[in-house]
Amino acid sequence: MDMKLADLKLRPWLLRELNMIGYEVVGDLQHLPTAELLRIPRMGGQDWRKIAKALGRDPFPGLKKR
């Protein structure tokens, strides 16, 4: 959880936005629910999947695997 957000290779504008809000490591985002994370400006699907994987969350909780 102490992985820095810069190590995830997020898009530069999202990384700048997260740093402006005050998030610098992945553990800072642990308390936020998925809906709140996706409401962050400039948060896209690919970046969300990277953050979800680092947090240990399933990015698609309602999707059944075939």
Side-chain angles (χ1 to χ4, degrees), residues 2-60:
D2 294 332
M3 179 185 291
K4 293 188 177 197
L5 291 171
D7 295 341
L8 293 178
K9 296 184 176 146
L10 302 173
R11 292 189 170 95
W13 50 85
L14 176 63
L15 185 59
R16 189 171 32 249
E17 183 75 30
L18 291 171
N19 286 334
M20 285 180 14
I21 295 172
Y23 302 122
E24 294 186 10
V25 294
V26 175
D28 294 343
L29 300 170
Q30 184 67 36
H31 71 282
L32 293 173
T34 301
E36 288 298 317
L37 282 171
L38 289 171
R39 285 187 188 116
I40 294 174
R42 300 181 176 111
M43 176 73 75
Q46 185 177 9
D47 294 322
W48 159 242
R49 286 190 293 273
K50 288 178 186 178
I51 291 172
K53 184 177 178 183
L55 288 172
R57 294 185 191 177
D58 183 16
F60 306 108

